[in-house]
Amino acid sequence: MPTDSEQITTVIRSHLDALRTGSTESAAATVCAEKQVSTTTTGKVLPAITLDAVGYVTLQGSTATATVRGHLDDAPETSIGKVVSLTSTSGHWLIC
């Protein structure tokens, strides 16, 4: 069974892939209910982003934060970083 950190990395990667391809259904499956409305109504397609690392995962019961680093495929020298909040619901991590 994958660790919490591995599951968190997988959900973040899946979310980025869904946003990049414009798959609102897949994007909605990776976020908590409060975020589903904003994710499915934006209609924006992200530029190609390569996920470089998910680190500094802090677990506190059913919540977690992770530091995400990546870069734009068309500008590999441009580093992007963000802290992501997650919640575990029925054993599945979702971005909140």
Tab-separated table of all heavy atoms in Angstrom, residues 43-74:
chain	number	residue	atom	x	y	z
A	43	GLY	N	-12.542	26.731	-16.644
A	43	GLY	CA	-12.384	26.481	-18.061
A	43	GLY	C	-10.993	26.783	-18.579
A	43	GLY	O	-10.751	26.765	-19.774
A	44	LYS	N	-10.058	27.059	-17.706
A	44	LYS	CA	-8.693	27.380	-18.120
A	44	LYS	C	-7.898	26.094	-18.311
A	44	LYS	O	-8.051	25.142	-17.576
A	44	LYS	CB	-7.997	28.247	-17.076
A	44	LYS	CG	-8.613	29.613	-16.902
A	44	LYS	CD	-7.869	30.396	-15.843
A	44	LYS	CE	-8.517	31.741	-15.624
A	44	LYS	NZ	-7.879	32.474	-14.535
A	45	VAL	N	-7.021	26.110	-19.308
A	45	VAL	CA	-6.102	25.008	-19.523
A	45	VAL	C	-4.715	25.522	-19.173
A	45	VAL	O	-4.281	26.554	-19.672
A	45	VAL	CB	-6.154	24.522	-20.986
A	45	VAL	CG1	-5.128	23.438	-21.222
A	45	VAL	CG2	-7.555	24.012	-21.328
A	46	LEU	N	-4.040	24.814	-18.286
A	46	LEU	CA	-2.703	25.232	-17.858
A	46	LEU	C	-1.672	24.948	-18.940
A	46	LEU	O	-1.826	24.018	-19.722
A	46	LEU	CB	-2.293	24.460	-16.602
A	46	LEU	CG	-2.978	24.823	-15.304
A	46	LEU	CD1	-2.455	23.920	-14.193
A	46	LEU	CD2	-2.736	26.268	-14.946
A	47	PRO	N	-0.609	25.716	-18.953
A	47	PRO	CA	0.503	25.369	-19.842
A	47	PRO	C	1.138	24.077	-19.344
A	47	PRO	O	0.898	23.652	-18.217
A	47	PRO	CB	1.456	26.552	-19.679
A	47	PRO	CG	1.106	27.166	-18.384
A	47	PRO	CD	-0.352	26.904	-18.160
A	48	ALA	N	1.939	23.458	-20.181
A	48	ALA	CA	2.595	22.210	-19.794
A	48	ALA	C	3.545	22.471	-18.634
A	48	ALA	O	4.473	23.256	-18.746
A	48	ALA	CB	3.338	21.631	-20.986
A	49	ILE	N	3.273	21.815	-17.516
A	49	ILE	CA	4.090	21.958	-16.315
A	49	ILE	C	4.652	20.591	-15.954
A	49	ILE	O	3.919	19.606	-15.897
A	49	ILE	CB	3.253	22.496	-15.132
A	49	ILE	CG1	2.728	23.892	-15.441
A	49	ILE	CG2	4.074	22.492	-13.849
A	49	ILE	CD1	1.766	24.423	-14.415
A	50	THR	N	5.951	20.548	-15.718
A	50	THR	CA	6.589	19.327	-15.250
A	50	THR	C	6.720	19.421	-13.740
A	50	THR	O	7.249	20.399	-13.221
A	50	THR	CB	7.975	19.140	-15.892
A	50	THR	OG1	7.803	18.980	-17.293
A	50	THR	CG2	8.690	17.928	-15.325
A	51	LEU	N	6.224	18.414	-13.048
A	51	LEU	CA	6.336	18.355	-11.593
A	51	LEU	C	7.736	17.876	-11.250
A	51	LEU	O	8.131	16.773	-11.616
A	51	LEU	CB	5.282	17.399	-11.032
A	51	LEU	CG	5.235	17.222	-9.530
A	51	LEU	CD1	4.893	18.544	-8.847
A	51	LEU	CD2	4.218	16.160	-9.159
A	52	ASP	N	8.512	18.734	-10.606
A	52	ASP	CA	9.888	18.381	-10.239
A	52	ASP	C	9.966	17.672	-8.896
A	52	ASP	O	10.740	16.730	-8.745
A	52	ASP	CB	10.765	19.635	-10.200
A	52	ASP	CG	10.918	20.270	-11.568
A	52	ASP	OD1	10.958	19.542	-12.572
A	52	ASP	OD2	10.989	21.508	-11.628
A	53	ALA	N	9.188	18.119	-7.935
A	53	ALA	CA	9.278	17.516	-6.605
A	53	ALA	C	8.075	17.881	-5.753
A	53	ALA	O	7.494	18.950	-5.898
A	53	ALA	CB	10.542	17.983	-5.897
A	54	VAL	N	7.711	16.956	-4.906
A	54	VAL	CA	6.756	17.216	-3.833
A	54	VAL	C	7.528	16.922	-2.558
A	54	VAL	O	8.013	15.819	-2.360
A	54	VAL	CB	5.506	16.318	-3.934
A	54	VAL	CG1	4.590	16.543	-2.742
A	54	VAL	CG2	4.764	16.576	-5.238
A	55	GLY	N	7.683	17.945	-1.741
A	55	GLY	CA	8.492	17.767	-0.544
A	55	GLY	C	7.866	18.432	0.654
A	55	GLY	O	6.799	19.027	0.565
A	56	TYR	N	8.544	18.318	1.763
A	56	TYR	CA	8.095	18.925	3.012
A	56	TYR	C	6.630	18.607	3.300
A	56	TYR	O	5.838	19.489	3.567
A	56	TYR	CB	8.312	20.441	2.996
A	56	TYR	CG	9.731	20.834	2.702
A	56	TYR	CD1	10.054	21.437	1.503
A	56	TYR	CD2	10.745	20.574	3.621
A	56	TYR	CE1	11.367	21.791	1.220
A	56	TYR	CE2	12.059	20.924	3.341
A	56	TYR	CZ	12.361	21.528	2.141
A	56	TYR	OH	13.649	21.873	1.851
A	57	VAL	N	6.286	17.337	3.194
A	57	VAL	CA	4.917	16.926	3.501
A	57	VAL	C	4.770	16.896	5.016
A	57	VAL	O	5.528	16.234	5.721
A	57	VAL	CB	4.598	15.544	2.897
A	57	VAL	CG1	3.215	15.076	3.320
A	57	VAL	CG2	4.702	15.595	1.370
A	58	THR	N	3.789	17.648	5.512
A	58	THR	CA	3.494	17.695	6.937
A	58	THR	C	2.121	17.079	7.155
A	58	THR	O	1.131	17.584	6.635
A	58	THR	CB	3.491	19.156	7.440
A	58	THR	OG1	4.745	19.747	7.117
A	58	THR	CG2	3.277	19.219	8.928
A	59	LEU	N	2.070	15.987	7.885
A	59	LEU	CA	0.810	15.300	8.155
A	59	LEU	C	0.341	15.639	9.564
A	59	LEU	O	1.125	15.614	10.508
A	59	LEU	CB	0.998	13.790	8.046
A	59	LEU	CG	1.456	13.261	6.694
A	59	LEU	CD1	1.842	11.805	6.804
A	59	LEU	CD2	0.378	13.461	5.662
A	60	GLN	N	-0.947	15.971	9.671
A	60	GLN	CA	-1.570	16.223	10.972
A	60	GLN	C	-2.943	15.590	10.947
A	60	GLN	O	-3.918	16.224	10.539
A	60	GLN	CB	-1.667	17.720	11.244
A	60	GLN	CG	-0.317	18.390	11.385
A	60	GLN	CD	-0.438	19.889	11.587
A	60	GLN	OE1	-1.435	20.507	11.256
A	60	GLN	NE2	0.604	20.481	12.137
A	61	GLY	N	-2.990	14.318	11.325
A	61	GLY	CA	-4.255	13.590	11.286
A	61	GLY	C	-4.723	13.414	9.855
A	61	GLY	O	-4.041	12.837	9.032
A	62	SER	N	-5.907	13.961	9.548
A	62	SER	CA	-6.460	13.817	8.202
A	62	SER	C	-6.173	15.023	7.317
A	62	SER	O	-6.767	15.174	6.255
A	62	SER	CB	-7.970	13.578	8.284
A	62	SER	OG	-8.600	14.709	8.860
A	63	THR	N	-5.267	15.893	7.744
A	63	THR	CA	-4.872	17.030	6.913
A	63	THR	C	-3.370	16.981	6.660
A	63	THR	O	-2.614	16.373	7.416
A	63	THR	CB	-5.236	18.387	7.561
A	63	THR	OG1	-4.517	18.521	8.783
A	63	THR	CG2	-6.740	18.497	7.800
A	64	ALA	N	-2.966	17.633	5.589
A	64	ALA	CA	-1.550	17.671	5.235
A	64	ALA	C	-1.266	18.922	4.417
A	64	ALA	O	-2.177	19.513	3.830
A	64	ALA	CB	-1.171	16.431	4.425
A	65	THR	N	-0.016	19.315	4.411
A	65	THR	CA	0.460	20.341	3.490
A	65	THR	C	1.681	19.772	2.788
A	65	THR	O	2.406	18.947	3.348
A	65	THR	CB	0.843	21.664	4.196
A	65	THR	OG1	1.824	21.388	5.183
A	65	THR	CG2	-0.363	22.322	4.826
A	66	ALA	N	1.887	20.207	1.556
A	66	ALA	CA	3.037	19.754	0.780
A	66	ALA	C	3.579	20.925	-0.024
A	66	ALA	O	2.812	21.750	-0.526
A	66	ALA	CB	2.634	18.630	-0.160
A	67	THR	N	4.888	20.996	-0.116
A	67	THR	CA	5.530	22.005	-0.957
A	67	THR	C	5.740	21.380	-2.323
A	67	THR	O	6.376	20.333	-2.448
A	67	THR	CB	6.871	22.445	-0.352
A	67	THR	OG1	6.634	22.964	0.952
A	67	THR	CG2	7.526	23.508	-1.212
A	68	VAL	N	5.192	22.020	-3.342
A	68	VAL	CA	5.241	21.496	-4.706
A	68	VAL	C	6.158	22.386	-5.537
A	68	VAL	O	6.040	23.609	-5.494
A	68	VAL	CB	3.824	21.467	-5.323
A	68	VAL	CG1	3.854	20.962	-6.745
A	68	VAL	CG2	2.893	20.627	-4.464
A	69	ARG	N	7.051	21.781	-6.277
A	69	ARG	CA	7.955	22.517	-7.171
A	69	ARG	C	7.843	21.936	-8.572
A	69	ARG	O	7.747	20.722	-8.750
A	69	ARG	CB	9.397	22.394	-6.719
A	69	ARG	CG	9.653	23.063	-5.409
A	69	ARG	CD	10.725	24.125	-5.565
A	69	ARG	NE	10.820	24.905	-4.354
A	69	ARG	CZ	10.302	26.108	-4.212
A	69	ARG	NH1	9.663	26.672	-5.187
A	69	ARG	NH2	10.424	26.758	-3.072
A	70	GLY	N	7.848	22.820	-9.554
A	70	GLY	CA	7.803	22.400	-10.944
A	70	GLY	C	8.363	23.479	-11.840
A	70	GLY	O	8.880	24.494	-11.363
A	71	HIS	N	8.258	23.255	-13.143
A	71	HIS	CA	8.693	24.271	-14.103
A	71	HIS	C	7.840	24.176	-15.364
A	71	HIS	O	7.273	23.133	-15.667
A	71	HIS	CB	10.182	24.129	-14.443
A	71	HIS	CG	10.512	22.870	-15.185
A	71	HIS	ND1	10.860	21.708	-14.545
A	71	HIS	CD2	10.537	22.595	-16.506
A	71	HIS	CE1	11.081	20.764	-15.444
A	71	HIS	NE2	10.893	21.279	-16.644
A	72	LEU	N	7.742	25.279	-16.067
A	72	LEU	CA	7.034	25.311	-17.335
A	72	LEU	C	7.880	24.588	-18.376
A	72	LEU	O	9.085	24.811	-18.462
A	72	LEU	CB	6.790	26.752	-17.782
A	72	LEU	CG	5.925	27.611	-16.860
A	72	LEU	CD1	5.898	29.040	-17.371
A	72	LEU	CD2	4.525	27.051	-16.766
A	73	ASP	N	7.246	23.735	-19.169
A	73	ASP	CA	8.001	22.988	-20.171
A	73	ASP	C	8.643	23.904	-21.204
A	73	ASP	O	9.732	23.623	-21.689
A	73	ASP	CB	7.113	21.958	-20.866
A	73	ASP	CG	6.799	20.781	-19.959
A	73	ASP	OD1	7.338	20.721	-18.833
A	73	ASP	OD2	6.003	19.914	-20.377
A	74	ASP	N	7.968	25.012	-21.523
A	74	ASP	CA	8.536	25.910	-22.527
A	74	ASP	C	9.500	26.934	-21.913
A	74	ASP	O	10.055	27.771	-22.623
A	74	ASP	CB	7.445	26.612	-23.330
A	74	ASP	CG	6.508	27.446	-22.467
A	74	ASP	OD1	6.644	27.432	-21.230
A	74	ASP	OD2	5.630	28.113	-23.045
